[in-house]
Amino acid sequence: MTPEPLQPPRFREEVARTARLAAPLAAGHLSHGLVGFVDAVVAGHHGTATLAAVAVGTALFWLPMMLPMGVLMALPPSVSQLDGAGRRGEIGPLFRQALWLAVALGVLLFGLMTVLPFALAPMGMAADIIPGATDFIHAIRWGIPAFTLYLAMRYLSDGLHWSMPTMVLGFGGLLLLAPLGYVLANGLFGFPELGAVGLGIASALMFWVQAIGFAVYLWRSRRFTDLQLFSHWQAPRWSVQRDLLRTGLPIGVMVAMEGSLFIVTALLIGRLGELPVAAHQIAINVASMCFMIPFGIAEATTIRVGHALGRGDRGGLRRAYFAGLALVLSTQAISAIVLLTGNHAIAALYTSDAAVAALAASLLLYAALFQFPDGIQTLSAGALRGLKDTRIPMLLAMLAYWGIGMPVGAGLGLALGWGPRGMWLGLTAGLTVAAFLMARRFLRSSLRVPMVSASPSVTVTDGG
C-alpha cells in the first residue's frame, strides 16, 4: 500500500498541533529532570562525597522506577484512541483500573527499594559511597506510591491532549524541593544537617504534594467532569489489568532497557571512586535534561498517532511521525550546539571542585555526540507506542542497548581502561543502533497496522 503523501498545509498543521501538545509535556519532563539537577547542585555544594552518594542513590532509585513509568504509558494511547473513536464514556472506568495498577506497582517498588541497597557492597561499590547512598534511597522510597499515582493521573490528562497540568505541577514541585532540600541537607533554621538523606526526604515530600495536587485538579476541573473519574468506587478487575499489562509491560521493559543502560553505566563508574562518579553524575544529569525535550515530543507523537489510529486515518499516522521527527531534529541540534560550546560553563554550575568540573566538561562533549540518535530513537519508540506495537520494539531495545551499547562501553571503559569516556562511547553506540532499528520498525508498521475498526485493545466499563 502506498503511503499518503505529506501535503504541506496538512503537515504544517500537524507540526503545529504536535508542538502545542509537546511543549507542556517537555516542560513537565524537564521539571523532573530538574529534580535531579536540584539534588545534584545541592549535593555538589555540600561536598563531593554527598554528590557521589546522591549519584549512586539516584541511579538505584530510577532504575526500578522505569518499569512503572513504562507500564503506565499504556494509558495515553488507550485514552487517546477512545477519545478519537468517540467513546469517552469508557475512559473513566479505565482510569480507575489504572489507579489500582499504580497502587500495586508503588507498593511493590517500595518493598524493592527497602532491600536494594544491600546489593551495593556485592556490586563492588566504593565503601565510602554506600552509607550515604543507602540513606538517600531509604528516604526517597516513601514517595514512590505517590509518584506512581501521579503518573496514572498525568498519563490520563496527557492522553486527552491536555498536558498543561504536567508542566504546572512539575515546576510547582521544584518550588518546594529546592528550598526544602537545601535546608535539610545543610541543617538550616534549627534542622539537623542531613546531607544526602535530607535530599531524599525533600524529594519524597515533593512527590506527595504533586500527587495530591493532581487529584484535586482532576476532581474539580470542568474539563474532566463528563468522565466521572472519581464518581464512585470500582473494584479491581483482572481482565482490564491484564490488558493494560499486556500493552504496558513491553513498554516498561523497553524504557528500562534504555534507562538501565545509563544507570548501570553510573554504577560501573561508581567502582572507580568518588571523582569519576561525581563527574559522571553532572554529565548524565545535563544529558537527561536535554533528553526531556525529545521525550515530551515523543509522548505527544504517541498521542497524535493513537488519535489517528482511533479515527482510522492511516495517512495521519505518518504525518504525526514526521511532524515529531522535524521537531526532534530541530531541538537536538540546539542541544548539541549548547553542549559543545558551553560544556565548561555548565559543569561549573554544579561544583567548585576543579578536577570534577574538568572531567564532567569532557563528558559533555560525548553527550553532544548522541543527541541526534537519542532523539530519533525515543521519537520512533513513542510513535510505535501509539500503534500499540510494543513487543518487537522491546526486543530491538534489548539488542541495541545490552547487545551492543553495554558491551562496547564496558569493553572500552573498564577492559581497555578508558574510564568514563569509554563508557559514554558505549552509550552512543547503543543509541545509534536503537535509532535505526526503531525508525525502520515504525515506517514498516505504519503501513501494515489494521485500520478496520476504531476499537482500542483496552475496553472497560463498570459492568452495567
Side-chain angles (χ1 to χ4, degrees):
M1 180 178 292
T2 303
E4 177 184 311
L6 299 175
Q7 298 99 330
R10 298 185 68 183
F11 182 67
R12 285 196 295 268
E13 181 183 355
E14 185 65 41
V15 171
R17 286 185 176 182
T18 302
R20 287 195 297 270
L21 179 59
L25 285 173
H29 282 301
L30 182 60
S31 70
H32 280 297
L34 287 171
V35 171
F37 171 79
V38 169
D39 285 344
V41 169
V42 173
H45 287 281
H46 186 266
T48 300
T50 304
L51 178 57
V54 169
V56 173
T58 299
L60 280 179
F61 174 76
W62 287 110
L63 177 57
M65 290 306 294
M66 296 291 175
L67 185 62
M69 289 177 67
V71 168
L72 292 169
M73 279 183 186
L75 196 55
S78 298
V79 168
S80 64
Q81 286 181 38
L82 287 170
D83 189 37
R87 297 162 56 187
R88 286 175 64 88
E90 298 176 32
I91 293 175
L94 176 61
F95 168 69
R96 287 189 283 275
Q97 294 301 314
L99 288 180
W100 280 114
L101 183 58
V103 169
L105 290 168
V107 172
L108 177 65
L109 286 168
F110 179 89
L112 178 63
M113 298 304 293
T114 300
V115 301
L116 194 57
F118 294 107
L120 287 173
M123 289 167 52
M125 193 63 56
D128 51 353
I129 296 176
I130 293 177
T134 300
D135 290 341
F136 176 84
I137 293 167
H138 281 168
I140 199 173
R141 64 178 170 161
W142 293 100
I144 291 176
F147 183 66
T148 55
L149 286 169
Y150 171 85
L151 288 174
M153 293 183 282
R154 174 199 153 175
Y155 288 148
L156 165 83
S157 184
D158 293 348
L160 291 170
H161 288 68
W162 184 237
S163 50
M164 192 62 67
T166 298
M167 178 181 72
V168 173
L169 288 168
F171 282 99
L174 291 175
L175 296 178
L176 172 66
L177 175 64
L180 184 59
Y182 188 80
V183 167
L184 294 180
N186 293 283
L188 304 178
F189 304 113
F191 288 96
E193 184 178 351
L194 299 176
V197 71
L199 290 167
I201 293 171
S203 298
L205 288 172
M206 181 199 67
F207 289 145
W208 279 107
V209 170
Q210 288 177 321
I212 294 170
F214 218 137
V216 171
Y217 174 77
L218 292 179
W219 178 41
R220 300 291 299 273
S221 175
R222 294 182 179 180
R223 180 181 292 270
F224 302 96
T225 301
D226 66 309
L227 302 180
Q228 298 183 329
L229 299 176
F230 304 108
S231 62
H232 61 277
W233 170 266
Q234 183 178 340
R237 294 179 58 191
W238 169 242
S239 60
V240 182
Q241 308 290 337
R242 183 184 59 224
D243 287 338
L244 286 168
L245 288 169
R246 183 181 296 120
T247 301
L249 270 177
I251 299 175
V253 172
M254 183 166 59
V255 171
M257 287 299 101
E258 180 185 2
S260 61
L261 178 67
F262 288 86
I263 291 168
V264 172
T265 296
L267 297 176
L268 289 175
I269 292 174
R271 299 163 66 97
L272 304 177
E274 285 184 358
L275 191 151
V277 77
H280 172 79
Q281 173 64 7
I282 293 171
I284 203 65
N285 183 249
V286 174
S288 296
M289 285 193 288
C290 293
F291 173 76
M292 297 307 169
I293 298 175
F295 193 32
I297 297 172
E299 282 201 330
T301 303
T302 297
I303 296 163
R304 295 299 299 160
V305 168
H307 201 268
L309 185 62
R311 66 178 186 267
D313 181 4
R314 187 182 299 278
L317 300 178
R318 295 171 72 85
R319 278 197 304 276
Y321 175 76
F322 284 108
L325 183 62
L327 292 170
V328 159
L329 292 178
S330 301
T331 60
Q332 296 306 89
I334 295 172
S335 295
I337 291 171
V338 169
L339 291 174
L340 286 171
T341 59
N343 58 323
H344 289 285
I346 293 170
L349 292 174
Y350 284 82
T351 180
S352 55
D353 188 317
V356 173
L359 180 55
S362 69
L363 294 180
L364 290 175
L365 298 179
Y366 291 86
L369 288 177
F370 63 62
Q371 290 304 300
F372 286 107
D374 198 17
I376 293 170
Q377 66 85 22
T378 195
L379 186 279
S380 302
L384 287 165
R385 287 195 294 271
L387 298 178
K388 294 193 175 179
D389 181 4
T390 58
R391 296 183 184 179
I392 297 301
M394 175 186 69
L395 299 176
L396 297 178
M398 289 181 181
L399 171 64
Y401 302 139
W402 290 94
I404 296 173
M406 182 51 64
V408 170
L412 294 176
L414 300 180
L416 296 183
W418 291 18
R421 297 177 179 85
M423 298 295 297
W424 278 65
L425 286 175
L427 297 177
T428 303
L431 292 170
T432 301
V433 173
F436 172 77
L437 295 176
M438 296 293 183
R440 182 172 179 267
R441 174 73 181 177
F442 175 80
L443 293 175
R444 291 190 172 191
S445 295
S446 63
L447 297 178
R448 297 195 302 260
V449 64
M451 306 293 289
V452 177
S453 71
S455 300
S457 63
V458 176
T459 303
V460 58
T461 67
D462 287 312

